[in-house]
């Protein structure tokens, strides 16, 4: 079946540091890939997505590239802010499907 | 903006009680979902519905049922609450099949004592 594996947190960084959160997936066919973010006390929000191999999703300074050959969708940001402190979830949806499969989530804490 | 509203932010229930969690979306979405969120396990799908009165089991349906009598409302029912159902419950909706964004409610933190 489909599955998503992401690095365990928490990840603690200083402001302006570089952030990488690794995400790999197992799926048949060509799934769509997503990063969702959950800020404290809130529900999940879509951060970015990519729907085919080599696509790059980007939003709010975050980027992730759909790598079919390594089945990965790593999230990166060049200079984090305190406001980026949140839990980040990698997810996939199989082609023509409507269900999301999530990874375990990675908590990120950015200190001033 | 799409709004997905869950009726309660926090609930405390006793073991054996019948518990209803309600979710309403205001954008005429076809699909609605119930997930539970547990530390280290991410979000796991309990049930989803792709139309009124239609439902499908997700990955962990045991101990739960759902009801969708109207398009905008999707209810999660714990027939007899148990302590291992203490969790954060998240409702989501999306427009249809394929490449559509899922929108989430703020979650209901349920504690079963």
């Amino acid at each position: 079946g489909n599955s998503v594996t992401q690095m365990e947190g928490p990840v603690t960084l200083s402001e302006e540091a570089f952030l990488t959160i690794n995400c790999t997936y197992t799926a048949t066919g060509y799934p769509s890939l997503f990063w969702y973010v959950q800020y404290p006390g809130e529900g999940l929000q879509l951060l970015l997505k990519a729907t085919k191999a080599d696509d790059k999703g980007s939003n709010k300074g975050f980027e992730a590239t759909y790598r079919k050959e390594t089945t990965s969708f790593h999230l990166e940001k060049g200079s984090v802010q305190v406001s980026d402190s949140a839990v980040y979830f990698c997810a996939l949806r199989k082609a023509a499907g409507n269900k999301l499969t999530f990874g375990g989530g990675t908590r990120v804490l950015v200190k001033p | 903006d799409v709004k997905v509203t869950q009726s309660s932010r926090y609930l405390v229930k006793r073991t054996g009680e019948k518990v209803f969690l309600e979710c309403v979306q205001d954008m005429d979405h076809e699909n609605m979902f119930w997930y539970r969120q547990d530390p280290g396990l991410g979000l796991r799908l309990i049930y989803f519905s792709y139309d009124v009165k239609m439902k499908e089991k997700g990955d962990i349906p045991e101990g739960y049922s759902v009801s969708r009598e109207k398009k905008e409302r999707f209810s999660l029912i714990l027939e007899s609450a148990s302590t291992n159902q203490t969790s954060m419950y998240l409702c989501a909706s999306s427009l249809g099949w394929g490449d559509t964004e899922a929108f989430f409610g703020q979650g209901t933190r349920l504690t079963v004592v």
Side-chain angles (χ1 to χ4, degrees), chain A residues 7 19 30 35-36 42 48 51-52 60-61 66 68 71 81 83 101 103:
Chain A
M7 59 190 292
L19 170 67
Y30 297 90
W35 277 101
Y36 278 81
E42 299 184 13
L48 54 83
T51 58
K52 61 182 186 295
K60 299 182 180 179
Y66 188 143
K68 182 71 175 173
T71 61
Q81 305 300 313
S83 57
T101 299

Side-chain angles (χ1 to χ4, degrees), chain B residues 14-57:
Chain B
R14 295 191 181 279
T15 300
E17 276 193 76
K18 190 169 186 176
V19 181
F20 293 85
L21 302 183
E22 307 287 345
C23 176
V24 176
Q25 51 94 3
D26 66 357
M27 282 300 290
D28 202 35
H29 281 176
E30 308 290 333
N31 303 315
M32 296 189 75
F33 307 85
W34 276 107
Y35 290 89
R36 64 177 281 177
Q37 180 182 4
D38 299 290
L41 298 177
L43 277 71
R44 293 177 292 167
L45 182 64
I46 304 171
Y47 267 97
F48 75 100
S49 168
Y50 50 90
D51 201 352
V52 174
K53 297 189 186 294
M54 307 302 289
K55 61 186 180 184
E56 281 195 25
K57 293 180 180 179

Side-chain angles (χ1 to χ4, degrees), chain B residues 79-96:
Chain B
E79 297 289 343
S80 177
S82 63
T83 54
N84 63 13
Q85 293 178 309
T86 292
S87 186
M88 171 71 84
Y89 291 87
L90 291 170
C91 176
S93 72
S94 68
L95 181 59

